[in-house]
Amino acid sequence: MAKEEGLQVTRRTTRYSASNNAVEPTKPTEFYKPTLNDLGFRQQPLGFEDLLSCFPGRSTQVLELLRLLGPLNSPMFPVLVYGGPSTGKTSVTLQVFRHLNRPFVYSSCVTCYNPRILFESILNQLWFHRKNSGHSYSSVKRCERPSDFVNYLREASESVIDNLKGNSGKLSSKLSGQPNGTMVYLVFDNLERVRDWDKSSTILPFLFNLCDILKMPEVGLIFISSTSPDTYYLNIGYLEPIPLYFPDYTEDDLRQIFMANQVNRKLYTSFLDVVLRPFCRVTRRIDELSAAFSSLFKKYSEPLSDMEVAPNEDMKRRLFTHLRPHITTALNETFQVRSQPLLKAETNQETKKKNSSRMSGIREDFDKMDFHMSTSAKYLLISAFLASRNPATLDASLFDSTGVSDSRKRKRKASEKSMEQKKMAEQELLMKGPGTFPLERLLAIFQCITSLAEDSLDEEGSDELTIEGGSGGLMSDVLLQLSSLCNANFIIKGGSCPLEGSTRYRTAVSEDLALKVARSLKFPLSKYLYRR
Amino acid sequence: MGREKEKQNPSEKALNLLRTRLSNPNFIFKPLSDSPDSNYSKLKFIISSSVTEACNNSILLLGPRGSGKVAVLELVLGDLLQQYPEVISVIRLNGLLHSDDNCALKEIAQQLCVEHQLLFSKVASFDDNSQFMIAMLRECGLAHKTIIFVLNEFDYFAQGKQRLLYSLLDAMQSVTSQAVVIGVSCRLDVDQLLEKRVRSRFSHRKLLFLPPSKEDTERFMEHILSLPVDSSLPHNYTVEFNARLKKILSDERFKELINTYLSFNSTIGHLVRFLFQAVSYLDLDVGFLSLENFKTALSSMQRQPKLECIREYKSIHDSFQTSDYYARNVCLRAFEHLLQHQLISFADNRGHNQSVEFRPVKLLISLAELHQGLKSYRLCPMFYLDLIKIGFWILPLVQACKLHKIPAFDSFLVCYVNYYCCGASFLPLKMVKVAFSRQLS
């Protein structure tokens, strides 16, 4: 979505081909040298009506931005454009600049992830320098500190503005597509990322005070952020930029946006009537909705043989009933990136006949694990989960040598109050999340489990578990597996116990995943879990 | 291009003129500095006396942001440079950029070189630079030239070891030098931040920049928004514009408007920003400022961003409808949306040791704000509002997001409310299960 300087096609020799001796080195092609025209939006200028129609529901914001930017060559106060994610802030700003055809420099704090890259990117654009292999991808000037940046920025802006002033007198400039005016605008996108930088306590006040420090009325500043201005309150204070709010889209706006490029409008309208309301309750973000809608629409128009038809009431009803069971699943899957394509779920559906089994068919896929783990790793994971979940005092009763999992020792009948207290304690434990455990405990549980598993498997006579040979060989394997589980973030290294000084571990898997793993091993996990 | 300029609408020219004026701090603060007891005159007197009497001096300019400290200083320096052209050289430092001592000395040396047409070497070390500075001070002192050091954001220089300040002030005392150190800061207590040895070398002169009085403000607004009669604008247009402006300024509603605005932000800087916005709403067809422009500007300034987010928040946690069961990842995503909007934040700073579900969070908005936000959301069911009226946190609703498949939501909520009243500000996410289980038992 970010357009830095319009579209160019650059032919350059890649490093590989340059260093590869087998290919004869081609003559270094002419690198593209950006010029003043690149500071403007290089595409066809946009009329005012087109600008408004591009962005349904955003006409107030467009007008306000135009007003704040003001007529040609009039200085402006810094502006902060803010609003939720995917509400069109960046695209509106860029298209406004396209409409006005004024020179601007765009940099995003997502791609420029530290101050040096940010400063150098802006300076490169102002000095018409493109990084290419000719000078091994270096910037025009090395700039790390804000003080250097201010000096270079002043120089660069002055030269650009002189250029613009010099050319503005000539008539030919209009024809050559040069941007208008003698002001340069700096656009900083995704400003909220700066808050997470290391040096944010100096960089943020610097950026907001840049207007005062630079003291050049010909440079205009525009900040785009997806968090509101009060998240930027700083200790030293600054004169806040003028805020411009982009509210989330209403349902009508969403409808207009989705209808915008559809071929068969009537069909899509009926589709939207069905799905828009329930989905809007979950999210209003366009990116999430469009992902969900595209797959749903395919489903919706499945039974139709002719895509051009305009549905009447009867057809609409039929299509709706066809679609309805999928809506709920799609709702729940709105934010999930499907690892298995939807087609597989469909094949499952065809084999089953009833509606209910259709649902369970989809669920069955999720019961299987999506990735492969070795058996010992799976056992290790289960033991880690148990170690985190159960308090250490229960281990003796759960894992005693006879392999009896349910404790059948008779307990004294506890009083109501102590039962109450016990319940409270259990619930507190659950709420705090997974507990930490030392390595020794993990290995002890692991040994218990695998010895059980070996016993049970021996009974069945299968010889799959040849890995778990002697217990001596088991140890080194287990430690390796443990480190790979840590790397995969299934187990986290927690804090160290103050008394013993050894590191403790903590599980980071959810109960669902642990159940899946246990099911794949046919291990009765629920018997071992400490439940209320 | 030339032809188009003549055809330019007078209202557009007027707009341009006003915008330029409002962005130019020199123009803004000149009228306020005319009276004899203003900060302008005091500052001018201090600096010029130290120039003429060949002595050292130091002074602090203090005041909230936007009160015109740097602007007045620049006016004074401009005047003095015209008065004594060869005698004064100005070195400007900014705390945001040059708080590091190395960087600051390098910048001083560079600016001194530029002033006196010397060649500056980029590889000079810290010691070289400091020796150079002291040598320059001595030379200029002998030649009866004054160096004025302007230190913006003075509080940044007062962080850390204050080496630069100490060496500067020490040099001023020990070497035959003529220097004036002017510190500019928004913190009114910045001299308390100075170390003892620095403070003893500092003359405790302070100039306070306070917001102007009401009458001054009114005069200022009229001055700044009236178009000059002798400019290139058509005469009757200017006259009409100024007449209408006068009418607006004397209007009671306008005065009320301005008072509301000034009660939050009383500095000139803020006022100018407000005027800029109002001016930018100038309707080019009509060509004159109207009261509506000011009203729109005020409303856009007063927006409360968090309240707007709360509507979104409400739409997110509408996922408790009893007829819908929402899966876990939907709720997790809704939770992330709330995080993004900064309505909640993690209460621990340890970060990534634990998965998201188990980290304590706290609500970043107050109950009153929540109430107001939910009220303004049209589709909010009355049930939630009643709940708030009882005065309990709605935070549990957020955390109930984590629970999937909530049947019988209403009874759950009531029992949660019984369980955790007037709550803690920390509530780990899974606590809701407790209430829920109690409900079932």
Side-chain angles (χ1 to χ4, degrees):
Chain A
M1 239 196 259
K3 280 187 168 42
E4 272 206 16
E5 292 165 10
L7 310 161
Q8 289 110 15
V9 174
T10 324
R11 281 181 59 229
R12 6 181 226 203
T13 53
T14 58
R15 274 202 194 120
Y16 172 75
S17 62
S19 63
N20 197 349
N21 291 329
V23 178
E24 56 181 70
T26 49
K27 174 168 69 94
T29 46
E30 286 295 315
F31 294 121
Y32 181 78
K33 288 195 177 42
T35 60
L36 193 60
N37 292 356
D38 289 303
L39 285 184
F41 212 94
R42 264 307 219 53
Q43 294 177 356
Q44 288 227 337
L46 198 57
F48 183 60
E49 296 306 323
D50 293 330
L51 182 65
L52 284 181
S53 62
C54 256
F55 297 106
R58 285 278 172 250
S59 46
T60 6
Q61 281 76 35
V62 169
L63 287 173
E64 195 160 331
L65 186 59
L66 282 173
R67 281 212 191 94
L68 285 173
L69 286 175
L72 209 56
N73 301 339
S74 92
M76 60 174 275
F77 268 60
V79 175
L80 174 68
V81 175
Y82 72 99
S86 113
T87 39
K89 309 180 287 290
T90 314
S91 36
V92 165
T93 315
L94 293 176
Q95 295 300 319
V96 161
F97 274 107
R98 179 175 164 193
H99 163 68
L100 292 173
N101 199 15
R102 293 193 198 169
F104 70 101
V105 170
Y106 175 88
S107 52
S108 162
C109 298
V110 171
T111 45
C112 307
Y113 53 89
N114 66 26
R116 173 167 162 214
I117 301 183
L118 180 66
F119 297 154
E120 286 182 4
S121 143
I122 296 177
L123 290 174
N124 283 345
Q125 289 182 63
L126 280 174
W127 259 310
F128 312 128
H129 172 91
R130 241 213 171 174
K131 288 191 187 180
N132 48 43
S133 65
H135 10 96
S136 56
Y137 299 100
S138 65
S139 314
V140 62
K141 278 227 178 15
R142 189 196 157 87
C143 174
E144 264 195 44
R145 276 177 273 160
S147 49
D148 297 333
F149 177 63
V150 170
N151 290 336
Y152 293 144
L153 183 63
R154 212 172 260 144
E155 264 181 63
S157 315
E158 277 166 7
S159 81
V160 166
I161 291 168
D162 287 335
N163 247 339
L164 285 168
K165 279 193 184 142
N167 286 338
S168 68
K170 306 175 195 158
L171 262 177
S172 58
S173 62
K174 258 288 164 67
L175 301 168
S176 65
Q178 197 179 31
N180 301 337
T182 56
M183 277 187 70
V184 172
Y185 298 89
L186 303 181
V187 178
F188 291 88
D189 199 358
N190 301 116
L191 200 65
E192 73 275 2
R193 296 291 180 124
V194 181
R195 287 181 11 233
D196 301 327
W197 289 356
D198 288 334
K199 302 213 185 103
S200 67
S201 53
T202 43
I203 294 292
L204 266 182
F206 168 67
L207 284 178
F208 283 123
N209 280 325
L210 188 58
C211 186
D212 291 329
I213 296 178
L214 204 53
K215 289 210 207 331
M216 287 178 72
E218 298 99 352
V219 175
L221 294 172
I222 299 177
F223 301 102
I224 305 180
S225 150
S226 50
T227 52
S228 49
D230 50 342
T231 55
Y232 294 107
Y233 285 161
L234 304 161
N235 276 341
I236 71 157
Y238 52 92
L239 216 46
E240 293 132 20
I242 299 182
L244 177 57
Y245 178 57
F246 273 64
D248 289 335
Y249 290 110
T250 61
E251 265 191 51
D252 297 323
D253 293 332
L254 285 174
R255 186 179 285 269
Q256 251 185 311
I257 291 173
F258 279 113
M259 288 300 295
N261 284 324
Q262 293 300 328
V263 174
N264 186 349
R265 295 179 70 87
K266 291 225 173 68
L267 184 64
Y268 208 78
T269 327
S270 56
F271 170 65
L272 281 183
D273 287 332
V274 172
V275 292
L276 195 60
R277 182 60 60 88
F279 271 86
C280 274
R281 271 197 246 119
V282 174
T283 176
R284 292 256 171 107
R285 284 174 54 168
I286 298 247
D287 43 357
E288 293 164 357
L289 283 177
S290 62
F293 283 178
S294 54
S295 51
L296 266 185
F297 185 61
K298 279 199 203 94
K299 267 256 178 66
Y300 183 75
S301 38
E302 254 174 6
L304 286 178
S305 47
D306 174 19
M307 285 301 296
E308 301 296 319
V309 69
N312 53 9
E313 280 307 315
D314 188 41
M315 205 187 297
K316 280 190 200 166
R317 231 175 292 131
R318 266 192 294 130
L319 290 172
F320 174 59
T321 40
H322 171 82
L323 187 64
R324 192 176 6 179
H326 300 284
I327 294 186
T328 337
T329 32
L331 271 179
N332 290 338
E333 298 313 314
T334 319
F335 307 115
Q336 196 185 54
V337 177
R338 300 284 306 258
S339 50
Q340 297 160 3
L342 212 51
L343 297 166
K344 220 173 179 191
E346 287 179 30
T347 48
N348 272 343
Q349 288 163 36
E350 280 160 19
T351 53
K352 316 234 162 95
K353 304 244 164 73
K354 292 183 191 161
N355 266 3
S356 53
S357 53
R358 202 185 298 181
M359 295 287 275
S360 60
I362 299 175
R363 269 206 218 106
E364 252 182 47
D365 288 340
F366 302 145
D367 285 349
K368 300 210 187 82
M369 279 174 49
D370 293 3
F371 50 89
H372 180 74
M373 273 168 74
S374 65
T375 322
S376 55
K378 286 185 190 169
Y379 274 116
L380 198 61
L381 189 60
I382 295 177
S383 13
F385 181 72
L386 286 174
S388 261
R389 205 38 205 282
N390 302 340
T393 48
L394 274 187
D395 284 351
S397 53
L398 279 179
F399 299 111
D400 60 5
S401 47
T402 55
V404 174
S405 48
D406 271 344
S407 162
R408 294 205 192 93
K409 297 188 194 141
R410 241 179 294 136
K411 290 186 207 160
R412 265 202 320 263
K413 190 159 191 323
S415 65
E416 272 295 315
K417 194 170 175 211
S418 60
M419 290 273 278
E420 229 8 72
Q421 280 177 354
K422 249 190 156 184
K423 263 198 191 171
M424 285 277 290
E426 290 165 11
Q427 287 157 8
E428 288 287 329
L429 210 61
L430 266 183
M431 274 182 290
K432 284 197 198 140
T436 56
F437 51 86
L439 186 58
E440 297 81 21
R441 186 171 162 220
L442 171 67
L443 292 176
I445 297 181
F446 179 69
Q447 268 201 307
C448 290
I449 294 182
T450 46
S451 60
L452 281 175
E454 275 181 4
D455 291 340
S456 60
L457 277 173
D458 282 343
E459 287 161 15
E460 291 175 25
S462 136
D463 51 358
E464 274 181 28
L465 293 176
T466 46
I467 310 169
E468 267 97 310
S471 52
L474 190 56
M475 277 304 138
S476 56
D477 195 23
V478 163
L479 292 178
L480 261 179
Q481 298 280 6
L482 181 63
S483 65
S484 45
L485 283 180
C486 282
N487 282 339
N489 273 339
F490 287 134
I491 301 184
I492 311 178
K493 264 198 185 155
S496 53
C497 169
L499 290 176
E500 295 161 33
S502 58
T503 45
R504 295 176 77 91
Y505 297 87
R506 190 199 294 268
T507 328
V509 293
S510 61
E511 195 170 329
D512 296 334
L513 185 60
L515 282 171
K516 268 195 222 174
V517 171
R519 213 168 290 139
S520 69
L521 286 176
K522 300 196 178 42
F523 179 79
L525 186 64
S526 42
K527 280 201 223 155
Y528 290 88
L529 276 182
Y530 177 65
R531 283 204 198 283
R532 43 190 158 84
Chain B
M1 269 298 179
R3 267 182 297 161
E4 281 157 9
K5 249 199 189 146
E6 286 158 28
K7 281 194 194 155
Q8 200 181 22
N9 210 345
S11 56
E12 211 175 289
K13 277 210 274 186
L15 182 62
N16 256 348
L17 180 69
L18 286 178
R19 283 172 69 117
T20 326
R21 269 196 198 170
L22 286 169
S23 323
N24 181 4
N26 281 352
F27 184 87
I28 296 170
F29 286 99
K30 206 153 178 25
L32 293 170
S33 316
D34 280 340
S35 59
D37 64 340
S38 69
N39 285 332
Y40 168 84
S41 350
K42 288 186 201 158
L43 189 60
K44 190 162 177 188
F45 175 70
I46 294 176
I47 303 183
S48 50
S49 60
S50 64
V51 169
T52 44
E53 292 167 21
C55 62
N56 292 318
N57 223 329
S58 49
I59 186 171
L60 275 180
L61 303 181
L62 305 174
R65 209 164 271 280
S67 6
K69 310 179 285 292
V70 172
V72 166
L73 179 63
E74 292 297 326
L75 281 175
V76 167
L77 289 177
D79 289 343
L80 287 177
L81 280 171
Q82 278 184 335
Q83 235 182 325
Y84 309 101
E86 289 298 316
V87 186
I88 301 183
S89 46
V90 183
I91 309 287
R92 291 186 175 85
L93 294 177
N94 192 314
L96 279 175
L97 308 174
H98 307 127
S99 59
D100 175 35
D101 294 324
N102 283 344
C103 201
L105 269 179
K106 188 168 152 197
E107 185 71 22
I108 292 179
Q110 199 171 9
Q111 291 191 16
L112 280 173
C113 289
V114 165
E115 286 272 336
H116 299 270
Q117 277 104 29
L118 301 169
L119 283 174
F120 175 68
S121 151
K122 285 195 184 157
V123 297
S125 70
F126 176 78
D127 290 326
D128 290 342
N129 283 334
S130 63
Q131 280 175 2
F132 172 66
M133 180 181 83
I134 296 181
M136 279 302 286
L137 278 173
R138 190 181 304 127
E139 289 300 319
C140 288
L142 291 174
H144 292 293
K145 286 193 180 187
T146 315
I147 305 184
I148 301 182
F149 290 90
V150 177
L151 302 174
N152 268 319
E153 316 289 349
F154 192 70
D155 37 312
Y156 275 85
F157 287 113
Q159 287 173 356
K161 283 188 123 195
Q162 306 177 7
R163 266 203 304 184
L164 171 72
L165 286 180
Y166 177 69
S167 49
L168 199 54
L169 292 171
D170 195 40
M172 275 163 53
Q173 292 206 328
S174 46
V175 166
T176 57
S177 65
Q178 273 179 248
V180 181
V181 172
I182 306 177
V184 179
S185 174
C186 296
R187 286 185 66 160
L188 299 177
D189 63 340
V190 72
D191 57 336
Q192 307 296 323
L193 295 172
L194 295 175
E195 274 179 16
K196 185 163 165 296
R197 58 180 183 166
V198 175
R199 199 174 334 150
S200 56
R201 287 173 173 75
F202 189 79
S203 82
H204 289 94
R205 266 187 245 232
K206 286 189 257 191
L207 270 184
L208 274 180
F209 282 73
L210 298 169
S213 64
K214 255 207 193 136
E215 298 80 28
D216 283 343
T217 321
E218 286 175 7
R219 250 185 295 136
F220 163 74
M221 279 199 294
E222 176 153 3
H223 167 86
I224 211 176
L225 289 177
S226 314
L227 297 175
V229 186
D230 54 352
S231 70
S232 54
L233 297 165
H235 182 79
N236 26 359
Y237 172 75
T238 320
V239 166
E240 168 99 30
F241 187 93
N242 290 346
R244 287 205 188 194
L245 182 69
K246 247 202 163 89
K247 218 172 90 179
I248 296 177
L249 289 178
S250 50
D251 192 347
E252 268 310 310
R253 290 175 292 167
F254 179 79
K255 290 197 178 146
E256 212 181 290
L257 212 85
I258 288 287
N259 284 342
T260 342
Y261 185 70
L262 286 178
S263 57
F264 310 126
N265 311 300
S266 48
T267 59
I268 290 283
H270 284 110
L271 183 62
V272 164
R273 186 165 142 260
F274 170 69
L275 290 178
F276 182 86
Q277 248 203 319
V279 162
S280 68
Y281 283 122
L282 175 71
D283 195 347
L284 284 177
D285 300 325
V286 173
F288 302 113
L289 281 176
S290 75
L291 193 58
E292 294 312 311
N293 295 350
F294 291 98
K295 271 197 189 149
T296 341
L298 184 67
S299 61
S300 77
M301 289 267 169
Q302 277 190 328
R303 218 189 276 278
Q304 293 203 298
K306 284 258 159 85
L307 283 181
E308 287 151 346
C309 289
I310 289 180
R311 273 183 232 142
E312 154 94 8
Y313 168 96
K314 180 64 193 61
S315 67
I316 285 176
H317 83 251
D318 248 341
S319 55
F320 299 109
Q321 304 289 324
T322 52
S323 53
D324 297 314
Y325 301 157
Y326 280 82
R328 212 157 152 272
N329 42 7
V330 170
C331 298
L332 191 54
R333 189 64 171 181
F335 181 66
E336 277 175 24
H337 281 183
L338 286 172
L339 263 184
Q340 264 180 351
H341 280 289
Q342 293 278 301
L343 286 172
I344 54 180
S345 81
F346 288 121
D348 60 350
N349 292 330
R350 273 177 299 125
H352 309 285
N353 249 350
Q354 281 175 311
S355 61
V356 174
E357 304 157 13
F358 297 108
R359 290 170 62 181
V361 294
K362 62 183 171 184
L363 194 59
L364 285 180
I365 49 180
S366 69
L367 191 59
E369 279 180 319
L370 189 53
H371 192 189
Q372 206 180 349
L374 287 178
K375 243 199 206 160
S376 57
Y377 187 59
R378 296 172 289 132
L379 304 175
C380 173
M382 291 318 294
F383 166 62
Y384 294 133
L385 286 181
D386 293 336
L387 199 60
I388 298 182
K389 281 192 201 134
I390 309 175
F392 293 120
W393 290 101
I394 295 292
L395 185 59
L397 293 180
V398 174
Q399 293 157 346
C401 271
K402 286 299 303 175
L403 263 187
H404 41 271
K405 302 196 182 96
I406 310 172
F409 172 68
D410 307 46
S411 50
F412 151 72
L413 201 55
V414 168
C415 111
Y416 182 97
V417 154
N418 285 336
Y419 192 88
Y420 274 120
C421 31
C422 296
S425 57
F426 284 74
L427 280 173
L429 284 170
K430 290 236 163 171
M431 255 195 191
V432 177
K433 253 192 181 165
V434 175
F436 185 50
S437 60
R438 282 209 109 203
Q439 205 277 321
L440 287 181
S441 57

